[in-house]
Amino acid sequence: MAATMIDCVVFGSLWSKRSVKELFDEVPRTKTWLEILAVLAEVEAEYDLIPADAALLIAKVCRTLTVDDEFLEEVRCGREESGHSTQGLIRAIQRRLTPNSARWVYSGATVQDVTDTWLMIALREARRILERDLEEVDCALAMLARRHRDTVMAGRTHGQHGLPITFGFKVAGWLAEVRRHRRRLREIAARMDVAQLSGGVGSLSSLGPRGLDLQRQFAERLGLRAPVVSWNTSRDVFAEWCTLLTLVTGTADRIGHEVYNLQRTEIGEVKEGFVAGTIGSITMPHKRNPEIGEHLGTLSRIVRHLGAAMLEGLVHDHERDGRSWKTEWHAIPEVTMLASRVIELLKGLASSLEVDEVRMRANLEASGGFALSEAIMLALAPQLGRDAAHRLLYETSIVARERDQTLIEAVRANAVISAAFGEGELELLLDYTFHTGLCGAMVDRVLAEEP
């Protein structure tokens, strides 16, 4: 039976994209560890650190081992008996070797050499998946921004109507963030994909005088780079990875939360795409809930907390510190899996979002013209001065609310304001369409930007 939601047969797909979860599952992880040990043996033999015939047999056994429940149980028993993280695996391999070959398994390497190298390999594949999915999010948001470049709606500050904007402008803000994250993912690649092979304290003393060359060969055969210096206690790159995913999921949460609010019954300006057969509530048959927006919030909150745990791991004692380092075994895979699902959900949300342009306009007009206060003030400023114009509109707004009037009614009734405009000028000034500022131009700039 699954102990966590991610491993749950029923609910697992809610917490991770399947292809990313598979990278961290026990069987593929163990297989990659075995491949790392096979490569290690081969390279060490080439540098005369272990016998060639032993390396050949170690590599063959590691690559042909069947990693099934029986083998994993054998490894588990060995770990519990020894109290050491990888002694169970070492002994399981040794049992399948001749005595002369068995003593060379894992020679000169530490647990951290294997686990750090594996994690870099897994994250390299995860990064490629996340990059592809974010590109699809980019395409969906770009289409939405282009389609609604000039769709007028209420801009809101502090939860209240502010000034008119366009929905395309709102989406362009989301898109610009996503594109920054895509660039960050490309940039972080230069600091990732680095192998770990440094021995007990990072000095490479166990790898002989040509240890740096051996290390480079080891890394290259696994598709990684050799480090410029051992990084046993330098965990900034892993912390950066999790921080980046915290930023990505934070953006997704912001978008989901906005959709959640705009889908409120009394607002109703957007709706998550509906899939026939989905049920919003067991007790209230009419419900159509913003399930994606809510779940984006759930997953992103967990990522933020795990991201904070990774920042704690930046502080290590001396040349190795299990307290900080082993926190990563839990945090990094989970952050990566959760983020993969967040991006997958965001892609679905953006590509199927339903936009109610009529409701957007109706809600804006329902404000009674108060969203036009800035436009009227600025139009009066050349004659009255900015401060005097602000004071006049402020007092007019107060009177309108006290008398339960719209601002448009109050403005038309105000002699000073009416006298300031020629025939037809005030009517033009009260058209929301003309007061979205440079929203459209900014949408165009974002769309023209290189992703």
Side-chain angles (χ1 to χ4, degrees):
M1 178 174 281
T4 68
M5 281 294 183
I6 285 180
D7 293 319
C8 183
V9 173
V10 177
F11 298 106
S13 62
L14 291 172
W15 302 86
S16 177
K17 184 181 176 77
R18 186 181 301 278
S19 58
V20 172
K21 182 181 181 299
E22 288 173 352
L23 298 173
F24 300 102
D25 277 344
E26 196 152 27
V27 170
R29 183 188 69 224
T30 304
K31 286 182 177 179
T32 304
W33 283 13
L34 290 168
E35 176 61 22
I36 290 168
L37 294 178
V39 170
L40 175 65
E42 290 172 337
V43 174
E44 287 184 329
E46 291 174 15
Y47 283 80
D48 301 320
L49 290 183
I50 68 173
D53 58 345
L56 190 65
L57 191 53
I58 290 169
K60 180 180 179 180
V61 167
C62 285
R63 288 178 177 136
T64 58
L65 253 171
T66 300
V67 181
D68 54 14
D69 291 344
E70 184 179 349
F71 178 75
L72 291 173
E73 179 63 16
E74 179 183 350
V75 173
R76 182 193 67 79
C77 290
R79 190 210 64 76
E80 292 184 354
E81 289 168 1
S82 66
H84 186 271
S85 301
T86 55
Q87 188 62 34
L89 179 63
I90 293 170
R91 288 176 178 170
I93 298 169
Q94 288 174 330
R95 290 187 191 100
R96 291 157 175 81
L97 296 166
T98 63
N100 287 335
S101 298
R103 60 195 178 122
W104 298 108
V105 175
Y106 224 100
S107 179
T110 69
V111 176
Q112 196 168 359
D113 290 331
V114 175
T115 56
D116 281 354
T117 298
W118 161 73
L119 200 47
M120 281 297 190
I121 291 171
L123 292 181
R124 177 185 61 197
E125 300 308 313
R127 192 176 68 245
R128 290 170 180 169
I129 294 171
L130 268 54
E131 284 177 343
R132 288 196 297 268
D133 283 355
L134 267 182
E135 182 179 4
E136 293 185 35
V137 172
D138 184 313
C139 291
L141 289 176
M143 188 178 300
L144 206 55
R146 187 176 294 108
R147 183 184 305 141
H148 295 285
R149 177 188 186 275
D150 302 312
T151 300
V152 180
M153 66 177 297
R156 296 172 172 91
T157 61
H158 306 285
Q160 308 296 310
H161 281 205
L163 304 171
I165 60 170
T166 71
F167 185 63
F169 166 71
K170 185 187 291 287
V171 175
W174 303 342
L175 176 59
E177 272 187 52
V178 167
R179 288 186 171 174
R180 287 195 290 274
H181 296 325
R182 291 183 64 194
R183 287 192 287 272
R184 290 179 178 117
L185 271 174
R186 292 195 292 267
E187 291 161 2
I188 199 174
R191 293 179 290 282
M192 297 185 72
D193 304 349
V194 177
Q196 180 80 279
L197 182 61
S198 59
V201 294
S203 64
L204 279 75
S205 58
S206 61
L207 301 183
R210 295 187 293 167
L212 291 175
D213 289 334
L214 187 157
Q215 182 192 64
R216 178 176 54 78
Q217 285 290 331
F218 169 78
E220 288 179 357
R221 292 187 192 185
L222 292 166
L224 301 173
R225 300 190 306 278
V228 293
V229 64
S230 301
W231 50 282
N232 300 36
T233 55
S234 297
R235 315 310 287 180
D236 58 295
V237 174
F238 282 151
E240 182 184 6
W241 169 256
C242 290
T243 301
L244 172 52
L245 295 188
T246 301
L247 293 175
V248 173
T249 56
T251 294
D253 192 6
R254 181 170 87 87
I255 295 171
H257 191 64
E258 183 73 4
V259 171
Y260 174 97
N261 277 314
L262 294 181
Q263 189 168 327
R264 291 177 185 274
T265 305
E266 58 272 27
I267 298 177
E269 295 179 355
V270 301
K271 290 186 180 70
E272 292 182 3
F274 179 71
V275 178
T278 55
I279 297 173
S281 170
I282 294 298
T283 58
M284 296 171 284
H286 71 282
K287 294 295 293 297
R288 181 173 165 181
N289 297 330
E291 299 284 355
I292 297 176
E294 285 188 321
H295 201 50
L296 286 172
T298 298
L299 300 178
S300 299
R301 290 178 184 189
I302 302 172
V303 170
R304 288 195 284 273
H305 282 284
L306 290 172
M310 284 298 300
L311 295 178
E312 292 290 335
L314 289 171
V315 183
H316 271 59
D317 271 359
H318 307 301
E319 278 60 61
R320 195 182 324 276
D321 182 353
R323 294 169 303 177
S324 299
W325 158 52
K326 289 183 181 178
T327 301
E328 299 169 357
W329 294 10
H330 170 73
I332 296 175
E334 188 157 346
V335 165
T336 307
M337 288 187 284
L338 292 169
S340 73
R341 183 57 178 150
V342 165
I343 297 170
E344 190 175 40
L345 285 170
L346 181 59
K347 180 172 60 176
L349 176 66
S351 60
S352 64
L353 192 68
E354 298 175 12
V355 180
D356 191 334
E357 299 179 29
V358 174
R359 188 65 175 266
M360 286 181 173
R361 183 66 182 239
N363 285 344
L364 181 58
E365 292 176 347
S367 69
F370 287 95
L372 298 171
S373 65
E374 181 194 67
I376 300 169
M377 177 192 73
L378 293 176
L380 288 169
Q383 299 179 47
L384 306 180
R386 189 265 178 199
D387 288 345
H390 183 279
R391 187 165 55 252
L392 178 58
L393 263 296
Y394 174 75
E395 292 169 351
T396 303
S397 297
I398 290 175
V399 170
R401 293 189 190 280
E402 288 176 348
R403 296 177 179 176
D404 198 23
Q405 289 181 309
T406 66
L407 183 63
I408 294 173
E409 291 170 335
V411 162
R412 285 180 174 145
N414 186 288
V416 175
I417 297 175
S418 297
F421 300 107
E423 188 174 342
E425 286 183 330
L426 186 57
E427 295 305 313
L428 191 62
L429 192 59
L430 298 177
D431 187 337
Y432 294 99
T433 307
F434 295 104
H435 302 296
T436 57
L438 296 172
C439 285
M442 285 187 276
V443 172
D444 294 340
R445 289 205 303 187
V446 172
L447 292 174
E449 185 183 40
E450 190 70 27

